[in-house]
Amino acid sequence: MLGQSRGRVEADRWIAFRSHFGIESFYCRPGIEAAHEKGGVEGMIGYFRRNHFVPVPEVSSLSELNEMVEQWDRQDDARRIGSRPKTVAEYFAVEQPLLMPLPEEPFETGRLFTPRVDRYGQIPVRTNRYSVPIRLIGKRVRVVLHASHLMVYDQNVEVARHERLIAKGAVRLDLTTTWRSWSASPAPSPAPQRSNRPARQAGSPRSTTPGGTRPARSVASGTAPGL
């Protein structure tokens, strides 16, 4: 906020978001004199909270809560605001042709990190640690952190996916991912087996033949005879 004007210092993520969707930002003036400029938006937020989040719904995951919100939105299409002659859905049908089409590419809402895999096959993300395949030990990976989960990439290949930890200093291990990494590694060469045959004594022949003993081949050294 810049004084009492409409100017704002915009965050980088907000600039990227509104640029992706072609949004032209317009800010309200601060203070009681301009409180009427955003009353409709804040009024609808209060209406939604009082009617759907009081009491606070109990859910097992963020995905379940999002499904409930979508259902409430569909139900709200049939509502009439005050004494207006049309429903919410009917007014939106009039407004929709005037809106810009959505971009074909989705906007990446996750935060990007590039941690290095430690010797335990784990990466630090914010205040917690997550496991990755051990073959990546010592390498940097790319992490996309979302509100409920995170994805780990080695270059452009997804190598791990975890539910996001909320508590600080926690560790989430996925032994399945670690075991797949072990299984994909080449098997170590077997150790050489010791022979149970007795050691050959000095001066004894090297091998035998069915017809008797074959003399060991001698290796000449020095001057050949007859020369």
Side-chain angles (χ1 to χ4, degrees), residues 99-111:
L99 301 176
M100 296 175 56
L102 292 175
E104 296 182 359
E105 295 293 331
F107 178 75
E108 179 56 74
T109 58
R111 297 292 302 273

Side-chain angles (χ1 to χ4, degrees), residues 123-156:
I123 54 172
V125 180
R126 292 291 179 91
T127 60
N128 299 310
R129 308 186 73 82
Y130 301 85
S131 65
V132 299
I134 57 172
R135 59 182 172 79
L136 300 175
I137 290 177
K139 296 183 60 177
R140 284 197 178 275
V141 293
R142 180 166 55 91
V143 177
V144 181
L145 177 66
H146 292 271
S148 58
H149 67 282
L150 63 87
M151 297 172 292
V152 185
Y153 295 89
D154 178 23
Q155 297 182 357
N156 293 324

Side-chain angles (χ1 to χ4, degrees), residues 17 49 113 127 129 136 146 171 175 180 183 192 195 210 212-213 226:
F17 178 83
R49 178 180 57 82
F113 299 90
T127 60
R129 308 186 73 82
L136 300 175
H146 292 271
V171 178
L175 299 182
R180 284 201 303 264
S183 301
S195 175
T213 301

Side-chain angles (χ1 to χ4, degrees), residues 48-214:
F48 199 90
R49 178 180 57 82
R50 291 188 300 270
N51 285 270
H52 300 297
F53 286 91
V54 179
V56 178
E58 295 183 2
V59 296
S60 58
S61 66
L62 185 60
S63 298
E64 182 181 353
L65 179 60
N66 287 335
E67 292 177 359
M68 295 173 63
V69 171
E70 290 182 3
Q71 181 179 358
W72 295 332
D73 281 340
R74 290 191 294 267
Q75 296 172 354
D76 199 59
D77 284 342
R79 183 171 64 91
R80 296 178 185 270
I81 300 177
S83 58
R84 297 182 181 182
K86 296 181 180 181
T87 64
V88 172
E90 291 172 339
Y91 276 112
F92 180 69
V94 175
E95 182 182 2
Q96 188 174 15
L98 305 176
L99 301 176
M100 296 175 56
L102 292 175
E104 296 182 359
E105 295 293 331
F107 178 75
E108 179 56 74
T109 58
R111 297 292 302 273
L112 180 64
F113 299 90
T114 55
R116 186 183 298 276
V117 183
D118 65 12
R119 59 178 178 173
Y120 303 108
Q122 301 174 13
I123 54 172
V125 180
R126 292 291 179 91
T127 60
N128 299 310
R129 308 186 73 82
Y130 301 85
S131 65
V132 299
I134 57 172
R135 59 182 172 79
L136 300 175
I137 290 177
K139 296 183 60 177
R140 284 197 178 275
V141 293
R142 180 166 55 91
V143 177
V144 181
L145 177 66
H146 292 271
S148 58
H149 67 282
L150 63 87
M151 297 172 292
V152 185
Y153 295 89
D154 178 23
Q155 297 182 357
N156 293 324
V157 179
E158 181 179 326
V159 294
R161 181 185 292 255
H162 294 281
E163 183 179 352
R164 181 174 178 177
L165 293 167
I166 304 301
K168 294 183 177 180
V171 178
R172 185 175 295 282
L173 302 177
D174 185 358
L175 299 182
T176 303
T177 302
T178 305
W179 174 250
R180 284 201 303 264
S181 179
W182 275 107
S183 301
S185 301
S189 302
Q193 300 293 329
R194 297 188 60 182
S195 175
N196 295 324
R197 292 182 302 175
R200 185 174 60 87
Q201 297 181 359
S204 63
R206 293 180 179 270
S207 61
T208 60
T209 61
T213 301
R214 185 178 64 186

